[in-house]
């Protein structure tokens, strides 16, 4: 294990989310509702040196395993994160996140005249172009880029 | 099976053809008792007298009773009631809801939460499917077919939702489009990409004259509104360019018909009204038949049932 990663204590079982851009750390925290996680300790490392990214953030969540749907939400803010599933201090699974076909209740519609911005309801988007990160609102049909959308 | 109508963009060709056939039955006999005992609610969160009158006439001619509101000021939405609550409440009273709303996507949402079918009578700049159905009906009636036609769209192609919906609905019928508009109001890129992706041919023009329109089967006029321009100098330059006059019809094909969603302001000169090419008033009348079909289909009444209907009032 690299020295930078050792700066954040190892966990016995749980989930590690690595290669988070530092500016996106708090969005990842809120998307996964980490403030509500009660199962075990959560360690967050910020501004760590990374050969790939310059600097990065990492989150280790002990004794917590997320569903694919929960993890794939991260693709909206940090599409290049690495996920590691840890069991008994070993990485048993390593994977990337992928943009789900539908995004429900995750991002806000950029159209101020959209019903979703004027009614207490969940937003709903369809992914139009995975590579370019283009999504379209299920309600008002406006296409928008993932780079410009805000989380709900 | 009862079903809502939110958009034309996702309707199959079979469904569009089916609804047009049903509308044809209603043109033969518009007055019936097919909806006797039913209650149609027209909820207009934004006023639109023409669309409301057309729906209410369609419902009345089929024997339904109509409830609803036309002025959002008298409803509780100004007291902060959500759209969902209004729809749930009205859904207890009516068999079907016809809704016009100023917010985009309101119809989709209403259809999702409503216990009864919802017909979209326009949701902001988004969709207005019954207008498109009557446009299609008018095109088919005047040309005898929807296939292989030259459709010329003129005026505000940027904000005009009727031209966008018509463009999407025509995708099934191998059209050739001509987009005639000032640069500021040109057809948006996303609709040109939509055509490209489906192999639909289109030509763009800034000029609007006798020669440009000589190949048209359908000339679909829209209004160029002052408030759409960021550059008022540009508006002054083009405001009189996209006006259709009788003198421009000399080279028109005999079958060419002029459509307009109405109301017009000055984009079609009055001397065009007497031309055999003018069709916009009949077009509005076709809205009655199209909406009779849409109401019946939404309530689960089939084409066979309409054909076998014994309730016709002669
Ligand atoms: Zn939207």
């Amino acid at each position: 294990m690299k020295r930078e990663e050792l700066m954040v204590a190892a966990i016995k079982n749980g989930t590690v989310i690595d290669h988070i851009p530092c500016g996106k750390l708090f969005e990842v925290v809120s998307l996964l509702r980490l403030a509500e996680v009660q199962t075990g300790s959560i360690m967050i490392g910020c501004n760590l040196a990374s050969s790939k990214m310059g600097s990065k953030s990492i989150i280790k969540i002990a004794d917590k395993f997320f569903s694919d749907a929960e993890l794939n939400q991260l693709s909206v803010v940090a599409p290049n994160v690495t996920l590691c599933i840890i069991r008994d201090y070993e990485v048993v699974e390593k994977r990337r996140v992928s943009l789900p076909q539908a995004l429900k209740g995750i991002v806000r519609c950029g159209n101020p005249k959209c019903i979703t911005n004027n009614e207490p309801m969940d937003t709903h988007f369809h992914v139009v172009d995975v590579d370019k990160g283009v999504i379209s609102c299920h309600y008002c049909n406006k296409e928008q880029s993932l780079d410009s959308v805000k989380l709900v | 099976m009862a079903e809502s109508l939110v958009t034309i963009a996702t309707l199959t060709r079979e469904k569009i053809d089916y609804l047009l056939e049903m509308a044809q039955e209603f043109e033969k006999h518009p007055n019936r008792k097919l909806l006797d005992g039913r209650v149609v609610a027209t909820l207009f969160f934004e006023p639109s007298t023409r669309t409301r009158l057309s729906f209410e006439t369609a419902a009345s001619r089929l024997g339904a009773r109509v409830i609803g509101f036309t002025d959002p000021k008298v409803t509780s939405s100004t007291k902060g009631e959500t759209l969902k609550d209004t729809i749930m409440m009205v859904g207890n009273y009516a068999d079907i809801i016809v809704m016009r709303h100023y917010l985009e996507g309101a119809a989709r949402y209403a259809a999702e939460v409503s216990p009864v079918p919802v017909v979209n009578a326009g949701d902001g700049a988004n969709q207005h499917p019954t207008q498109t159905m009557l446009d299609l009906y008018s095109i088919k009636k005047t040309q005898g077919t929807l296939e292989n036609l030259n459709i010329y769209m003129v005026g505000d192609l940027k904000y005009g939702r009727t031209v966008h919906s018509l463009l999407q609905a025509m995708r099934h019928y191998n059209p050739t489009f001509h987009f005639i508009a000032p640069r500021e109001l040109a057809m948006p890129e996303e609709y040109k990409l939509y055509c490209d992706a489906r192999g639909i041919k289109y030509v763009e023009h800034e000029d609007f004259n006798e020669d440009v329109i000589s190949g048209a089967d359908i000339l679909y006029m829209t209004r160029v509104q002052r408030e759409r321009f960021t550059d008022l100098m540009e508006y002054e330059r083009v405001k009189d360019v996209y006006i259709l006059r009788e003198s421009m019809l000399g080279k028109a094909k005999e079958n060419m018909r002029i459509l307009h969603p109405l109301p017009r302001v000055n984009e079609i000169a009055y001397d065009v009204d007497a031309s055999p090419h003018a069709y916009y008033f009949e077009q509005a009348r076709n809205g009655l038949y199209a909406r009779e079909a849409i109401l019946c289909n939404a309530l689960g009444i089939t084409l066979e049932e309409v054909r076998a209907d014994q309730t016709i009032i002669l």
Side-chain angles (χ1 to χ4, degrees), chain A residues 108-117 123-125 136-144, chain B residues 104-105:
Chain A
R108 206 185 284 275
C109 182
N111 174 9
K113 289 172 107 180
C114 178
I115 184 72
T116 61
N117 287 316
T123 62
H124 181 178
F125 288 86
S136 86
C137 177
H138 174 69
Y139 293 99
C140 73
N141 298 311
K142 282 273 179 323
E143 289 196 357
Q144 33 216 292
Chain B
E104 295 161 29

Side-chain angles (χ1 to χ4, degrees), chain B residues 137-147 149-151 216-219 253-258:
Chain B
Y137 188 78
S138 301
I139 294 171
K140 185 164 183 190
K141 191 171 150 189
T142 59
Q143 306 299 316
T145 177
L146 289 172
E147 302 275 358
L149 295 173
N150 296 297
I151 313 273
D217 297 310
I218 291 293
L219 193 58
K253 290 168 75 170
E254 205 185 320
N255 63 301
M256 189 276 270
R257 289 295 176 273
I258 302 156

Side-chain angles (χ1 to χ4, degrees), chain B residues 23 27 50 54 130-131 133-143 218 220 255-262 264 268 272-291:
Chain B
E27 176 161 14
R50 275 156 214 282
S54 178
T130 63
Q131 174 71 45
M133 283 307 302
L134 79 90
D135 290 344
L136 292 172
Y137 188 78
S138 301
I139 294 171
K140 185 164 183 190
K141 191 171 150 189
T142 59
Q143 306 299 316
I218 291 293
Y220 198 100
N255 63 301
M256 189 276 270
R257 289 295 176 273
I258 302 156
L259 303 188
H260 188 297
L262 301 183
R264 74 168 151 179
I268 301 177
V272 177
D273 293 0
S275 159
H277 297 291
Y279 194 72
Y280 26 94
F281 295 119
E282 291 93 328
Q283 178 190 3
R285 180 183 179 82
N286 292 335
L288 172 63
Y289 315 132
R291 291 186 173 108

Side-chain angles (χ1 to χ4, degrees), chain B residues 243-255:
Chain B
I243 294 178
L244 181 67
R245 301 172 201 283
E246 207 273 331
S247 58
M248 294 163 66
L249 298 173
K251 294 182 182 171
K253 290 168 75 170
E254 205 185 320
N255 63 301

